Amino acid sequence: MKLVLAFSICCFLMSTQQSLLAQQKAKQSNAVYLDEYKKGLWAPAAQDTAYFVVERKQQIEKVLKQSLPVQLLIDSNEQVMLAQQIALRDSNFIRYTVDKRNGRKPLLSQIFGVYPARPGDLRKDMVYLPGSVARVEMYNFAYNLSSVAIVDVFALKVLSVNHYPQSQPDLPAALVKLAVQIAVNAPEVEKALGFKPSADQPVMSSTKTALNRTRCERSQHLCVAPTFVQGKRALWAIVDVTDQRLVGLRWTNVGEDAPSIVVTEKKLQNENIADCYCEQVNKLNRDGWKMDYVLTSSDGLMISGVQFNGRDVMHSAKLVDWHVSYSNTDGFGYSDAVGCPIFSQSAVVATEPPQIFELVEADTTAGFVLEQKYYSELWPGPCNYSYAQRFLFYKDGRFRVTCASIGRGCGNDGTYRPVMRIVMAGEQQRFSEWQQNGWVPWKKERWQLQQPTTNYAPDGSQYKIERKDQTGYLIEPGKGQFGDGGRGDKAFVYVTKNHPEKDEGETDLITIGPCCNTDFRQGPEKFIDKVPENIYDIKLVIWYVPQMKNDDAPGKQYCWAETYLENGVYKVKAYPCFAGPLFKPIQPK
Amino acid sequence: MHCITHHPFFFLSGKRQVPVYFVCSLLIVIHLCPIKGITQRQYSCAKVPLFVKQKGFDTLRSALSTAEKRYMGLVLIELAQKPAAGEQPDLNNERARYYQHPSWKSAGYLASITLDRSGNAYAIPAPHISLLYNQPKQQNKIYRVDSKTGIMMPWMQLPTPKVETLQNPYGLLGLTYDCADGSIFAATVAGSTRTNEQGVLLHISTRDKKILDTLKGIDAMGLAVFQGLKGERRLYFGKIRTGEIYSVGIGANGKFIRGSVQLECSVSGIGPRGDDAPRKIRFDRDLMIVNGIAFNYNLQASSEKPETTYVYLRDPSAKTWQLINIQ
């Protein structure tokens, strides 16, 4: 966990320090986003052992076992308790407390407040005695929905019920306390403030309330922001009450002349990623590997200047396009670009920072992984997309460039064709293909499709790229052998002459191919001249375009995602389809 | 009303999470009659293009759309059902038929459309998910569809920024026709970056394509002309970055009146998202109706961009707008 957090907050902490140092650098982020730590893609989140979180989880567990999964607001006022009981007898008021599509599984709801009815709550046709009408507010954590019942406690009946999607009532005191506890106990808050705050410190001097309103637009969770005022600045700590975790931090200016801004999950994520990963090249040095990485406008996460044990390995690698076509409908699909979340040419954007984690194989740490995920806002809803990029680096000098679709798309007949661009280090390069009798060099620009009849070298490689001094890499495509769920790449491989002067992808490429070509016309063929150029002993570009067909059949899901219920709220189960080649250093003879 | 959209431009109502590609970006060209306002002389002079009838489409239930499923560019649609007498057609209804002139997809995906008093349509391009059919250099061009022939041609190339930016794939984002003098107002964000708001509001004569005036340093999307009882005109524009709606006076000579820019209202911090940009502004008697969407200068599919309608009521004595409804 330390690794990920250190990674995510580095930009922010630098900015805090910088402000103390008279802000010598102009471009620093005021925002930090804390990714929910998971050991790998879509693994369950780590369990929080803080007592207040454990208590809350136990409460939830208890509520979900009740016949009506609604947590009551406990109050000494009998009228408050009575109003809740009347409201909960109304079938319309409780209509969203179970998932009717899913075996009537319980969805977590909680009564947040019971108040005297407001004038606007009462219709002219309602008959009631003055002072006998209460407003009961209930929040549904699964649907992010508020239900409001107007109740006549004298007549013991419900006068009206309304449901408000994507809205949250004022929090009850118990949840305010929980949010504050999460914030004041977060080490990130302590680091940002320079001291550990007490539970009565997050109070806005202007409003006298402990919490600022905020939104978690992407997760659609209940979020609030305990805010700590320090002189002319305020630190917003966004807390996700649904998941009981700190989402992130953001400094704002306060005072009459300060612009009034609302800090939300999405703003915080966007600012943090733009500041720290789109406008800043980051360096990585681990297990003998050194490289730079940056999020591009439309070519995903790009790594460059890759070295292993001081030797140049790769000039750059990135993900240019995702082509998605649907076989049941001719010409229907999309060309998606992935990259920065704001001010970019991306259709599916990074909402979380890149992650670096251990690469574990057979219980040993074999190296590390650099991973970037991208999301549509409403994923995994139908016709929304998520993608991932993973660069795997082994301690023995091997590396793998991969990407995955994580569903869900517009149908179960989709084929994904990502376009990867890989440029190896070295000026005089030779590219060869394994045939039955050994390695056969490619002398001219061309492409080839990996097929069932493809020949592989005894070690499983299909291609080899080497420099004139005969150092280089064997290239092994995916055939379902990598243990990451991949079922084989069926990849088109193109090799073209590198033309930095023409800019054939050295900088950000706009979309290079349409959605729906099912053959080699995926875009890179544009860089093969009518009379193909010589590619022997010159600098090359390798374009790797795997093909992954999705599947939603139970037990066989692939390039797919679906929701399931956990603790009364919806979570995502994902079935990524990873593809991409493994590069193995050629052993010196 | 939450709306499903592809482009951040003309939209219709719909339900959340319907398939992405069901888009409704329509400009109704029917029932365009002068409306007598109380506080403003508001009317629309737009005419139905002549080609609509020529193609045999029923003008009472036809519309021009830039966001039909599986159509790129402009499409003429006819709804299956006739609207009840005195009612506007429901643009979510089933389409009976489509017509697309070959020239209507020559500019790639399109966004806003506006009609003039002769039935000519003006349209602006905007990329849809990718830049494959909308090259960045072509996004600052206004197109015109001739009322008689139905042929779409480039009408005017607006100045493009000297330095291209990878940060912002958009050019023109707003367009509206001013019936008072037959001119067009356009808003472009070409060249704007995260740290540099480079957008321009332009006032263009349709007679000689002369740029009458510009207002620089403003990234705007929704545009509408408000005409007061005494004939005074103000251009309302929705600022993308702040969600604020400003207005600026328009002089008799077509110039923006310097020093007359004023804040009218803001959709920032309200609505289900809180960070909406005013995509579309229109006036209906004493009401100002603003359609807002989240807009982050990227190509995220607009199926992910539910739309919210903000309704403001004009207080004629205070000359202010009061928010009365969010749908």
Side-chain angles (χ1 to χ4, degrees):
Chain A
M1 183 164 185
K2 280 175 186 166
L3 175 68
V4 174
L5 290 183
F7 207 99
S8 306
I9 64 178
C10 105
C11 198
F12 176 75
L13 294 179
M14 277 195 319
S15 100
T16 311
Q17 285 178 339
Q18 288 287 337
S19 66
L20 296 171
L21 297 168
Q23 298 185 339
Q24 290 168 342
K25 269 190 171 180
K27 204 171 273 183
Q28 298 292 351
S29 180
N30 274 323
V32 56
Y33 172 69
L34 302 172
D35 196 10
E36 187 175 19
Y37 177 68
K38 292 167 181 172
K39 272 190 170 175
L41 194 66
W42 312 119
Q47 292 289 318
D48 197 325
T49 53
Y51 76 92
F52 41 86
V53 173
V54 172
E55 273 178 14
R56 173 67 181 160
K57 285 191 187 301
Q58 286 169 347
Q59 252 175 22
I60 292 170
E61 209 174 310
K62 200 172 155 189
V63 170
L64 293 174
K65 283 179 182 162
Q66 295 170 183
S67 56
L68 189 60
V70 179
Q71 185 176 355
L72 293 180
L73 179 72
I74 305 302
D75 197 293
S76 55
N77 185 330
E78 285 177 7
Q79 298 291 301
V80 169
M81 300 308 292
L82 178 61
Q84 294 178 71
Q85 286 162 9
I86 296 167
L88 291 174
R89 283 202 301 262
D90 186 275
S91 59
N92 188 10
F93 187 63
I94 60 169
R95 66 191 290 191
Y96 295 111
T97 55
V98 292
D99 182 353
K100 289 173 185 163
R101 301 162 305 174
N102 208 351
R104 297 188 66 82
K105 284 191 178 165
L107 303 176
L108 180 64
S109 295
Q110 183 169 354
I111 304 288
F112 273 20
V114 178
Y115 311 97
R118 304 165 186 165
D121 292 331
L122 303 168
R123 293 196 313 265
K124 281 181 184 171
D125 62 338
M126 287 176 176
V127 180
Y128 54 87
L129 289 173
S132 68
V133 185
R135 175 186 170 93
V136 181
E137 296 179 347
M138 179 168 69
Y139 179 70
N140 183 307
F141 288 85
Y143 291 134
N144 188 25
L145 167 140
S146 296
S147 301
V148 176
I150 305 302
V151 172
D152 184 335
V153 290
F154 183 76
L156 304 178
K157 66 178 184 182
V158 172
L159 301 177
S160 74
V161 170
N162 281 298
H163 302 283
Y164 302 95
Q166 292 178 300
S167 69
Q168 305 91 30
D170 286 339
L171 267 64
L175 289 186
V176 171
K177 187 180 169 191
L178 174 68
V180 170
Q181 281 175 316
I182 291 170
V184 299
N185 285 288
E188 295 79 17
V189 172
E190 185 179 344
K191 272 185 194 169
L193 291 171
F195 61 91
K196 183 176 167 60
S198 65
D200 58 357
Q201 267 174 319
V203 176
M204 292 292 288
S205 55
S206 56
T207 61
K208 305 295 180 196
T209 59
L211 299 176
N212 257 319
R213 295 295 292 239
T214 186
R215 294 179 171 89
C216 279
E217 306 96 324
R218 287 187 167 127
S219 62
Q220 291 287 301
H221 284 181
L222 175 67
C223 290
V224 289
T227 305
F228 305 84
V229 177
Q230 258 194 351
K232 289 189 171 179
R233 298 203 306 160
L235 180 72
W236 293 54
I238 298 185
V239 172
D240 180 336
V241 180
T242 305
D243 269 357
Q244 306 101 33
R245 72 182 190 95
L246 183 71
V247 171
L249 305 171
R250 170 74 149 84
W251 283 105
T252 61
N253 292 323
V254 293
E256 286 177 7
D257 54 345
S260 104
I261 61 165
V262 177
V263 180
T264 68
E265 174 204 42
K266 189 164 86 176
K267 278 185 189 168
L268 199 138
Q269 288 173 328
N270 289 348
E271 282 182 24
N272 177 240
I273 291 171
D275 289 342
C276 300
Y277 304 100
C278 297
E279 296 178 8
Q280 193 166 294
V281 177
N282 290 268
K283 292 192 180 300
L284 178 54
N285 188 348
R286 182 168 166 157
D287 293 338
W289 291 93
K290 273 187 185 175
M291 68 198 74
D292 293 339
Y293 63 94
V294 68
L295 256 175
T296 64
S297 174
S298 66
D299 289 349
L301 186 73
M302 180 174 79
I303 56 171
S304 60
V306 181
Q307 291 185 332
F308 181 64
N309 288 341
R311 189 173 168 81
D312 290 338
V313 172
M314 195 183 342
H315 173 72
S316 66
K318 59 183 183 175
L319 179 55
V320 173
D321 266 359
W322 277 94
H323 301 156
V324 193
S325 65
Y326 293 90
S327 57
N328 290 344
T329 317
D330 276 351
F332 172 58
Y334 299 99
S335 289
D336 285 340
V338 292
C340 293
I342 50 175
F343 288 93
S344 78
Q345 299 172 354
S346 294
V348 184
V349 301
T351 60
E352 296 168 2
Q355 290 194 23
I356 300 168
F357 52 89
E358 284 183 350
L359 171 58
V360 178
E361 285 186 354
D363 291 337
T364 57
T365 304
F368 68 95
V369 179
L370 171 60
E371 179 183 274
Q372 179 66 58
K373 288 178 280 190
Y374 308 90
Y375 298 93
S376 295
E377 294 288 337
L378 299 176
W379 180 83
C383 265
N384 288 282
Y385 293 83
S386 175
Y387 301 112
Q389 260 180 296
R390 263 185 186 177
F391 298 99
L392 296 84
F393 297 96
Y394 294 83
K395 289 177 179 173
D396 61 8
R398 290 176 298 146
F399 67 94
R400 195 167 163 228
V401 180
T402 74
C403 59
S405 159
I406 315 170
R408 163 168 176 147
C410 296
N412 58 6
D413 59 333
T415 300
Y416 293 86
R417 296 181 179 89
V419 180
M420 301 182 218
R421 184 182 188 273
I422 301 164
V423 180
M424 299 296 284
E427 294 303 315
Q428 294 176 302
Q429 299 171 349
R430 298 167 183 178
F431 190 86
S432 306
E433 166 199 356
W434 177 265
Q435 291 187 353
Q436 283 172 336
N437 300 323
W439 293 106
V440 177
W442 286 13
K443 296 284 180 68
K444 301 281 183 188
E445 291 177 321
R446 58 175 288 200
W447 63 270
Q448 180 167 264
L449 174 64
Q450 178 192 5
Q451 298 183 79
T453 54
T454 294
N455 287 308
Y456 300 100
D459 74 307
S461 304
Q462 186 183 359
Y463 301 108
K464 178 172 77 166
I465 184 163
E466 56 189 340
R467 298 184 243 202
K468 213 172 179 183
D469 63 3
Q470 295 190 329
T471 60
Y473 285 84
L474 299 165
I475 303 171
E476 182 177 343
K479 292 165 279 186
Q481 79 278 34
F482 291 126
D484 59 359
R487 296 177 186 174
D489 293 355
K490 303 173 193 72
F492 293 102
V493 170
Y494 312 70
V495 179
T496 60
K497 183 180 174 183
N498 192 352
H499 280 289
E501 77 285 0
K502 287 190 195 170
D503 194 12
E504 293 180 339
E506 193 62 23
T507 58
D508 244 23
L509 271 175
I510 64 168
T511 314
I512 63 168
C515 59
C516 301
N517 289 342
T518 57
D519 59 8
F520 73 97
R521 293 170 300 153
Q522 300 300 322
E525 77 283 356
K526 291 174 185 167
F527 305 120
I528 299 176
D529 292 355
K530 278 186 182 171
V531 179
E533 290 189 86
N534 169 43
I535 54 168
Y536 196 73
D537 275 348
I538 55 171
K539 198 168 176 81
L540 306 175
V541 179
I542 302 169
W543 305 85
Y544 194 88
V545 185
Q547 307 182 86
M548 297 93 89
K549 162 82 181 68
N550 72 359
D551 195 343
D552 69 338
K556 293 180 180 173
Q557 293 97 325
Y558 196 53
C559 307
W560 197 251
E562 52 202 22
T563 53
Y564 68 99
L565 270 171
E566 184 181 288
N567 292 332
V569 295
Y570 288 104
K571 301 269 179 176
V572 178
K573 186 143 194 174
Y575 304 90
C577 49
F578 275 101
L582 175 69
F583 289 74
K584 301 179 285 191
I586 295 170
Q587 299 304 324
K589 287 174 186 169
Chain B
M1 178 180 72
H2 288 290
C3 190
I4 298 308
T5 61
H6 245 186
H7 307 289
F9 309 99
F10 284 79
F11 307 91
L12 275 183
S13 63
K15 290 176 184 171
R16 289 190 68 220
Q17 298 193 12
V18 300
V20 130
Y21 42 83
F22 185 78
V23 200
C24 1
S25 169
L26 297 164
L27 175 71
I28 280 289
V29 294
I30 47 188
H31 294 312
L32 295 170
C33 311
I35 299 165
K36 291 252 176 178
I38 299 168
T39 58
Q40 65 156 332
R41 281 172 48 205
Q42 186 206 332
Y43 67 97
S44 172
C45 60
K47 289 270 170 57
V48 178
L50 294 172
F51 62 76
V52 175
K53 253 189 174 173
Q54 285 166 10
K55 295 292 168 195
F57 277 62
D58 179 355
T59 56
L60 289 176
R61 52 184 166 134
S62 296
L64 285 171
S65 166
T66 58
E68 291 299 296
K69 184 180 171 183
R70 293 184 203 161
Y71 283 89
M72 181 172 67
L74 190 68
V75 187
L76 175 62
I77 61 151
E78 184 181 272
L79 300 175
Q81 286 183 337
K82 282 191 179 182
E87 288 194 5
Q88 290 286 328
D90 183 348
L91 300 178
N92 275 329
N93 281 345
E94 188 190 341
R95 275 73 169 132
R97 55 181 171 148
Y98 299 87
Y99 169 76
Q100 186 172 49
H101 188 278
S103 64
W104 292 1
K105 50 187 178 184
S106 60
Y109 288 95
L110 297 173
S112 296
I113 321 161
T114 192
L115 292 164
D116 69 13
R117 59 175 76 249
S118 304
N120 301 304
Y122 296 84
I124 53 176
H128 165 51
I129 298 182
S130 82
L131 299 177
L132 197 61
Y133 305 104
N134 291 70
Q135 296 293 310
K137 282 180 183 168
Q138 304 299 319
Q139 302 312 297
N140 232 15
K141 196 181 275 185
I142 301 174
Y143 292 81
R144 179 178 176 273
V145 183
D146 187 87
S147 177
K148 290 178 190 164
T149 66
I151 295 171
M152 187 174 88
M153 301 272 283
W155 182 70
M156 188 175 181
Q157 171 70 58
L158 300 178
T160 49
K162 286 174 188 164
V163 182
E164 269 188 61
T165 172
L166 287 172
Q167 284 194 17
N168 169 17
Y170 292 96
L172 285 158
L173 283 177
L175 189 70
T176 193
Y177 183 74
D178 185 358
C179 291
D181 62 359
S183 62
I184 275 178
F185 290 94
T188 175
V189 299
S192 266
T193 64
R194 187 173 174 223
T195 52
N196 202 353
E197 189 170 352
Q198 292 273 321
V200 182
L201 296 176
L202 302 104
H203 190 195
I204 305 163
S205 164
T206 54
R207 280 187 288 275
D208 54 9
K209 301 184 188 178
K210 189 178 167 191
I211 296 177
L212 302 170
D213 201 4
T214 59
L215 213 53
K216 293 180 179 170
I218 296 167
D219 283 4
M221 197 180 312
L223 299 177
V225 178
F226 180 90
Q227 188 160 13
L229 286 173
K230 294 175 185 168
E232 72 280 11
R233 289 179 297 156
R234 294 189 74 81
L235 176 70
Y236 277 60
F237 55 92
K239 290 190 80 172
I240 295 170
R241 296 181 187 228
T242 62
E244 294 164 321
I245 296 163
Y246 282 81
S247 74
V248 58
I250 308 160
N253 57 358
K255 302 274 185 198
F256 295 117
I257 300 170
R258 304 297 155 180
S260 72
V261 175
Q262 66 185 44
L263 177 66
E264 298 288 348
C265 57
S266 174
V267 299
S268 175
I270 58 175
R273 291 166 298 280
D275 63 346
D276 275 2
R279 180 192 66 78
K280 183 179 172 185
I281 303 168
R282 64 191 167 91
F283 296 104
D284 183 357
R285 300 172 193 268
D286 280 349
L287 301 178
M288 176 168 64
I289 298 146
V290 179
N291 296 76
I293 53 159
F295 184 78
N296 289 309
Y297 295 83
N298 61 25
L299 295 175
Q300 275 190 294
S302 38
S303 70
E304 304 160 18
K305 294 178 179 170
E307 181 161 309
T308 301
T309 304
Y310 305 85
V311 182
Y312 292 85
L313 177 67
R314 177 84 167 165
D315 178 343
S317 54
K319 293 187 177 175
T320 56
W321 296 96
Q322 187 191 353
L323 180 69
I324 57 168
N325 199 3
I326 300 177
Q327 298 171 321

